[in-house]
Amino acid sequence: MQASVQLLQLMSEIGYMACFSGDASRSQTIMDGVSAIGVEQIPIKMGLAITKVYGGLYDQAINILRDDILVKEPEHMSAKCFLGIALIQKGQRAEARELLENVVQYGNKDESSIAAAYLNS
């Protein structure tokens, strides 16, 4: 199935809305579908990974972030940030700290703020 970029963006936004309103299950279903259609698009993979983090599926999020996104874009600061968050949740603080410190230094304002909050927690 081929979907337009606009449709994938709209569906991703709906997935985010579900995620941030506390409906992690519905969000993951939506984002899994978006990912299946837009399989090669980094923004789609990021959305899927973020919903996995918020849904507590840290191993799945780590796999997407580390093995899909960062392999293709090694300096993707949002991916490093959310990978750091997932690793903290898994108790892997040393690796998380290294990633989050890198994001604080090189990420944009939003990424740096999120990373700093997790470093200081």
Side-chain angles (χ1 to χ4, degrees):
M1 175 179 193
Q2 184 145 4
S4 70
V5 171
Q6 292 85 4
L7 176 60
L8 291 172
Q9 288 174 329
L10 178 62
M11 293 303 298
S12 294
E13 289 174 18
I14 293 168
Y16 281 129
M17 288 170 41
C19 179
F20 298 128
S21 69
D23 193 346
S25 176
R26 184 164 294 162
S27 172
Q28 289 174 37
T29 299
I30 293 166
M31 293 307 291
D32 284 342
V34 171
S35 180
I37 295 169
V39 70
E40 295 301 318
Q41 298 181 26
I42 296 292
I44 301 288
K45 292 291 185 185
M46 273 304 301
L48 181 60
I50 290 168
T51 61
K52 298 294 184 193
V53 169
Y54 279 94
L57 301 171
Y58 305 118
D59 289 330
Q60 290 178 29
I62 290 167
N63 288 338
I64 294 165
L65 293 162
R66 185 183 283 150
D67 301 336
D68 288 340
I69 298 170
L70 289 171
V71 165
K72 293 175 185 164
E73 292 187 28
E75 296 306 313
H76 195 293
M77 290 297 132
S78 290
K80 286 183 177 187
C81 185
F82 280 94
L83 178 56
I85 293 168
L87 290 168
I88 284 174
Q89 298 302 320
K90 295 279 297 173
Q92 298 174 16
R93 295 191 76 75
E95 184 179 358
R97 175 169 286 286
E98 183 179 324
L99 288 164
L100 294 172
E101 287 174 348
N102 185 258
V103 173
V104 166
Q105 185 172 3
Y106 298 109
N108 66 31
K109 182 180 175 185
D110 293 334
E111 295 159 341
S112 294
S113 296
I114 294 168
Y118 276 88
L119 278 170
N120 296 321
S121 64

